[in-house]
Amino acid sequence: MSAAKDEAEDGPLDSNNAGNRDGEKTLQDAENEQTQEEELLTPKLSKPNGFEEEDDNLISNDKAESENFGPLQTSSPVPERPSSADESLSIPDDTPSLQGSIESSSPGRGVRISSYGRSPTPSLRPFDKRFQARLSPSPLNSPRASSPAFLNVHSRQSSAAFSIQTDGFAGSPQAPWEVVRWTKLRKMTGEAFSEVGKRRFGRPTCITIAASIALGTSKGIILVFDYNQNLKSIIGQGTKAIESGSVTSISISADHSTIASGHASGSIFTWDIARPAKPFLHIPPIDRNRALAADGHTLDVGILHVGFLGMRHTALASADDKGMAFSHLATRGMGVVARSVKTTRILGRYPDNASSADRQRKPSSVLAFSPLPLGNAEHGADSLGLVAMLTPYLLVVVSTTPIAQTQYKAPRPKEVAAHGAMTAALAWFPSVKLKKKDLVTLEESSRVKLVYCWSNILTVLDVVEVEPSASPVKDEPPSLQFKPRNRWKADEAIVGVQWLSRSVLAVLTITQQLVILEDNSMIVTDSSDLIQKHIYHADLFSGQLNQLVDQLDDEEVAAMHGVVADAFYMSFRAYKGRLFLLGYNEISFGTLSNWADRLLALMEEGSHISAIQLATSYYSGEANKVAVGLPEDDILRHNLVQEKLFEMMSASLRYTFSNTRTVQQRNGDGRQLEELASACIKACISMEDSDFLFEDVYSWYQDGDVEGLFLESIEPYIVDDEISVISPVVIKDLVGHYTARGLNPRIEEMICHLDSRTMDIDQITTLCKKNHLYDALLYVWNQALNDYTTILTDLLDLAEHQYNSQSDIDPSLAELELTSASKVFPYLSYILTGRIYPTGKDIPDDLASLAKAEIYYFFFSGSSGESRPIPQGSPQSSRSGSTASFPNLRRILQFDAPSFLSMLNEAFEDSFLNGPQDQMANETPGRLTEEQKFGLSVNRQWIVSILLEVMTSPNYESDDTVYLDMFIARNLPKFPQFILLPGHILHRVLIRLCEYPTNEVADDCQLSVEYLLSMYQPPDVTSLIPLISKARFYRVLKSIYKQERQFAELLKTCFEDYENQDAIFDCINDYLKPSAGLSKTQISDVRGVIIEHAYDLVAANVQRAAFTIDTHAPDLHSVLLDTLGDDEGAQFQYLQTILEPSTPKAEADQPVGRQRDFKEQYVRLMCEFNPSHVSKYVEQLKTGDLRLEEVLPSLENSDVVDAAVVLMAREGKVREAADRLTHHLMTLESALLGLIDGMNDSPDMGNAADDGRELVDSVQKYARVGVWLCQGQTKAAQQSKPVLSRAKSAKSLRDTLSSDEELWLDLIDAVVTVTKDVTEVLERQDRAAEISEDDTLQRVLSPIYLDFPKMITNLRTI
């Protein structure tokens, strides 16, 4: 439903913004404003609570409705936007088509002509590629914006039409219109906020609106104003009300006759507005010290909320700041008998009566409260007296009639942000009558709705009346169902929410941002900053609820909120679609600007393009309709907006192309002209009015000499199929404009997206032929005339022009004609496979069959009425007579036989060629022409037979006939049931394929031979082996040898096939494994081939060769190693593969008896290529695997001392090993000392430090080797003889030591010597000069870093 209807439900008031535009107001302006405000606030007759019957009349600003949009203002020019004719050209895609068809006509595609004709390399037309048309399905980089670009540099804040994001309000630019047109109620403000008014009545504290506007004050007084802002009544003076404290809440009854007020002391008063001298009813608070059991508000506890229940003046509900809520029902008094009031508690507990356990319950308060108001449609909820309340923990809906009963409860949503501000708000919308049934519920009245907010989470709840049971109980109250429907998350806490209409919500956030929200879609349509309004707010809850923030020991409570926010509900009210604000210094009301106001604001600002775009979005329904006063019904909305849209476009064009603006000015503003054209095009597309677009809009651009901008602007809309019909005049200009700029592919793409049935065929044919737009011409003739062959003759004529030697043809023109003629192949490919050329869409089945039949008749009928003599001077005329059979077939074969046969290869896959019965069964014979009947009978056998008849020598050379051979060889296995050829023909095909003319088609020919041999078995295949071998068809040879079980020859072929060397190893693995079943002779032959090609085997892959031979023929290792000769690197890889296999499986499969010379050779090579691994490998070997004299020289030359020590110790030469080790330690010592001495002169301290670390690591490594050597000797000595006590003698210490002890002594002596000498040098340098912190080398080589003392300590503990 529309916002207009929703406003009618609420009784909308006409309003205009006050004040002159410059903000400077004269006395006359003030008087006019006063009169205007009185008119604005003049009430209309309405139903109770302002919820009226829905009306179909659109209420809008009269000024905006009658405004003439022109001439436009120029003070606020529209800024440049990134959309122009130049930018509509996307990045060119000049990738050549494989089939030589047209380039994609996406915007900006450049021209690229690919020459066609007989290809110098026929393999460029292989059979496994498909012909394609380069028409893109959609344009790239469309110049249109994805959403209306309404904003300009003068904008301040966004609105509905500006795609407002729902996740933020601050900092967004503002639209040129006011989201809400605010009017200050000056007279009321003067009465209430003047110094005299404040002294007399007190400061305003709350506001409520109905037929009157009522203000509660801090002195307990209520001021009632009418809509003329006259103070109609002062309530409370001279009564107990002024003794009850300030008015904290206020409400007006449904019939607008009674007003209720809650006070800070806990008292509640009701007043008859017509007789305000004394209260109609007084509900005093309860003094708990005197009456503990009575129900009612406690004395001195403020009444935060009060409201009437239904139509009764004596039924109220109220809530206080301690979390207590009550319903009050007063009896009718008689004479001197006063009215009695029955009070019922509906929420909360009395703290004085709480048990000891309850005393620890969490604090609470009623943050938001509202009784259900009455609408103009009956609803079951109306009789229950519903009251909705929000506490920090729960939403509670309670019925007060006939008894107090909870109807619905909901906890705080989990989505509420932790540690956010504690806020709450709610508002009801009652049931109202609808003019039309709701499309969703099919009800004639709307549902009751409740919107409630906790912090930043807003939820909408539907209240549905449940159908009564079959036998309802008398006087049974209605049953209600509460259904949460929508939820919306704001960026900040919400402090107020009001219904502006049935579908529009006004949301006030904690930073005083006003957000306009659509109910059904939950889309933010507008936002506005109200901080300048200084809305009145008060801290009503922190005293009661601060514990929820301070109780950090309770995890659940501590995570609820970070702060208790002030209350805004008493200052933020809505009535009849208007918002009323109570500020600290003024009272104001506002009305949402409607759609006409917004369009007018844009036009007055000079943003006419934005206005057209916004109006278009209104017309199409893309923008939010409800919030701006537009009906949801499409017909009603179109009737309203269409007239304005035409007016705005006419005024914009009239201003833009006015005589006062020179051509230079218009040309200088080209981007704006493009945007205007795009906006008008989009508007006319939405309204489906192409006449206005091409007669009015285009005429303005023509008269302004800028029609090119318009023509380029419509391109993306044509390509997107949004515009399909264009007048012949515009088509002519369109073709002329694009061809003049060399943009032929783009105009072809556009023509292919237009409805060809509406075109002038003669005109478009002339234009396309003149500009060589044959893709477009083919499309138009096919679609408009269902003619698929006429243009083929024209294309073949273009191909023959180049053979006419009697006339000189411009080379560029010849190339262009050749390119156009080449489009015949993708065209035929598309049509013969049932696709529209060049778009690629499917042709309807019945039309597709007839189109294929016409083309097959054109080429494969014996003669053609359209055939013509072959031109004299062409290459073919020298080989045939002036006329021949199948003339059209011969012409296209002469032009490009490879491409034609490649096209046929694709067409053969179509089921059309399966036979005539399928097509003929679906057609009435009387409807078919003779040509169509013939074409429907064509099959694959017929086509192949004719090609064999036509493509014979000497008329065709082998460059062409080889493609026929490939075509037959490939299609025969695919369709054996449809193609039958005698053996001698297939044998000739096989021979010709092996004798291919050029190497460029070799691969295709080999593949074709494989196809053919899968279907055809030659009588003596072995006789063909020399021919196949000469052709180097290795895959074919392998297949033959495998079939004939000639495995040695198969392996030879694998060696010869350098493009697939992996097959060598696969072949050896397959046929030398035990399960292969080869005879001894066959195995011997295979081994002989391996020996013969040993070098080729290792050259293919050394490691795979070693692994393969090690698995199947380990006795051939010597042969392969000898083959490697002086290539020591390859020998090392080979030996590494067999001696140190990478996988455990391979290692397990090694022969046990590995030759010793292989290992010695491997160690020698390892010393050269991987010396760091020698020691680890040697340790894994057994005694006797290596001869020390064979490997020791290599170990010494490579400085692999640790490995040499291990081998010498294993040979029993322990003393020699120890001597060699200590000698090497002395060598390392000399290197260290030399490094230290020369460190000051070293130019590269970093490298010197690295060298020092390596030397230190070497000393430590060889010390550990020495420890291992000594430990082994000690263990051996202990096992060989017992330990005897030593006798003292005069002999020297060394003479009394055993051999193992001498080893230890030598090692310790060497290590201590190194440590002592290095330490002395370093200490001497320390004394000579201070070691700076940046001296990296000395820190590295310091005794602390070398840690030799620690190493000596470790040695002593051994």
Side-chain angles (χ1 to χ4, degrees), residues 396-418:
V396 183
V397 180
V398 178
S399 61
T400 58
T401 304
I403 60 173
Q405 184 178 2
T406 300
Q407 297 287 335
Y408 179 76
K409 289 197 300 185
R412 185 183 58 152
K414 295 180 180 179
E415 297 90 339
V416 172

Side-chain angles (χ1 to χ4, degrees), residues 439-705:
L439 298 178
V440 178
T441 64
L442 301 179
E443 298 174 352
E444 295 183 353
S445 60
S446 66
R447 291 178 174 177
V448 173
K449 297 188 289 187
L450 174 66
V451 58
Y452 63 94
C453 312
W454 257 304
S455 188
N456 63 328
I457 303 300
L458 179 147
T459 307
V460 178
L461 200 69
D462 280 341
V463 182
V464 182
E465 186 175 3
V466 179
E467 293 292 333
S469 59
S471 56
V473 180
K474 185 179 180 181
D475 298 331
E476 180 182 6
S479 178
L480 303 178
Q481 187 177 7
F482 294 80
K483 296 181 178 180
R485 173 166 46 83
N486 286 331
R487 179 158 287 178
W488 177 71
K489 183 177 182 180
D491 268 4
E492 54 193 24
I494 298 170
V495 296
V497 63
Q498 293 289 312
W499 291 96
L500 290 177
S501 67
R502 188 169 59 88
S503 302
V504 181
L505 288 162
V507 178
L508 182 66
T509 70
I510 196 170
T511 60
Q512 301 186 35
Q513 295 286 320
L514 176 64
V515 180
I516 306 302
L517 186 69
E518 272 204 19
D519 171 28
N520 295 324
S521 62
M522 287 288 114
I523 293 176
V524 175
T525 63
D526 277 305
S527 68
S528 177
D529 191 356
L530 299 185
I531 193 69
Q532 74 281 359
K533 293 295 181 182
H534 304 291
I535 303 174
Y536 174 75
H537 52 90
D539 181 7
L540 301 181
F541 306 114
S542 63
Q544 177 73 4
L545 301 179
N546 264 342
Q547 297 179 54
L548 296 182
V549 179
D550 298 337
Q551 290 178 353
L552 299 179
D553 56 331
D554 190 329
E555 182 178 352
E556 179 183 357
V557 173
M560 284 184 63
H561 298 285
V563 64
V564 180
D566 286 1
F568 285 77
Y569 66 87
M570 62 284 195
S571 309
F572 182 67
R573 301 287 186 178
Y575 184 71
K576 293 180 182 272
R578 279 144 198 81
L579 287 172
F580 289 80
L581 297 180
L582 173 62
Y584 280 96
N585 299 306
E586 66 177 32
I587 303 167
S588 57
F589 84 99
T591 305
L592 282 179
S593 58
N594 61 27
W595 67 277
D597 297 329
R598 299 181 179 208
L599 295 179
L600 176 60
L602 284 171
M603 295 297 286
E604 288 180 342
E605 192 193 43
S607 301
H608 44 278
I609 297 174
S610 299
I612 295 173
Q613 291 171 329
L614 180 56
T616 304
S617 67
Y618 288 156
Y619 183 92
S620 61
E622 296 173 2
N624 300 285
K625 306 174 289 292
V626 177
V628 293
L630 281 172
E632 292 184 4
D633 183 78
D634 290 341
I635 297 176
L636 294 177
R637 187 177 67 256
H638 290 172
N639 292 337
L640 284 171
V641 180
Q642 188 173 30
E643 182 180 355
K644 291 290 186 215
L645 201 45
F646 281 130
E647 290 179 10
M648 288 188 295
M649 286 192 290
S650 298
S652 301
L653 292 166
R654 186 166 56 251
Y655 168 73
T656 302
F657 295 101
S658 62
N659 294 330
T660 58
R661 304 188 71 205
T662 65
V663 175
Q664 290 79 6
Q665 288 175 324
R666 291 196 296 271
N667 293 339
D669 202 12
R671 181 166 298 185
Q672 185 173 357
L673 292 174
E674 294 167 15
E675 291 179 355
L676 177 60
S678 181
C680 293
I681 293 168
K682 184 65 176 177
C684 292
I685 291 173
S686 298
M687 296 185 293
E688 299 180 356
D689 193 333
S690 59
D691 292 340
F692 182 84
L693 178 62
F694 294 114
E695 292 178 7
D696 294 65
V697 178
Y698 183 58
S699 297
W700 280 105
Y701 278 81
Q702 274 188 312
D703 296 341
D705 295 329

Side-chain angles (χ1 to χ4, degrees), residues 1245-1290:
M1245 297 296 292
N1247 289 336
D1250 292 337
D1251 294 341
R1253 293 188 187 94
E1254 291 179 3
L1255 289 172
V1256 171
D1257 292 340
S1258 297
V1259 170
Q1260 293 176 336
K1261 181 181 75 172
Y1262 288 111
R1264 286 191 292 270
V1265 172
V1267 170
W1268 170 82
L1269 181 64
C1270 294
Q1271 285 178 334
Q1273 185 65 17
T1274 300
K1275 186 181 297 184
Q1278 290 175 347
Q1279 293 175 354
S1280 60
K1281 62 180 180 178
V1283 178
L1284 300 176
S1285 60
R1286 292 187 194 137
K1288 294 183 179 180
S1289 67

Side-chain angles (χ1 to χ4, degrees), residues 840-956:
K841 298 178 181 178
D842 291 335
I843 305 175
D845 291 340
D846 54 344
L847 296 179
S849 297
L850 296 179
K852 297 171 188 176
E854 291 180 11
I855 290 178
Y856 283 125
Y857 174 82
F858 182 81
F859 287 111
F860 296 103
S861 62
S863 61
S864 173
E866 297 179 356
S867 66
R868 61 192 66 187
I870 298 175
Q872 295 297 324
S874 67
Q876 188 178 356
S877 64
S878 62
R879 298 194 299 264
S880 62
S882 59
T883 60
S885 60
F886 309 103
N888 293 323
L889 177 61
R890 293 178 185 275
R891 292 173 70 193
I892 197 168
L893 289 173
Q894 178 60 36
F895 173 42
D896 192 345
S899 293
F900 181 75
L901 291 168
S902 180
M903 178 278 300
L904 273 183
N905 183 68
E906 187 175 351
F908 261 42
E909 297 175 1
D910 189 74
S911 61
F912 176 87
L913 295 174
N914 289 347
Q917 63 279 4
D918 296 334
Q919 290 78 19
M920 297 300 293
N922 296 327
E923 299 292 342
T924 303
R927 292 174 50 194
L928 299 178
T929 64
E930 292 300 322
E931 293 82 0
Q932 291 172 337
K933 291 179 181 179
F934 178 87
L936 289 168
S937 65
V938 170
N939 54 31
R940 297 181 182 88
Q941 181 71 46
W942 176 264
I943 294 173
V944 172
S945 300
I946 292 175
L947 289 173
L948 286 171
E949 176 186 342
V950 171
M951 296 187 69
T952 58
S953 300
N955 294 335
Y956 294 89

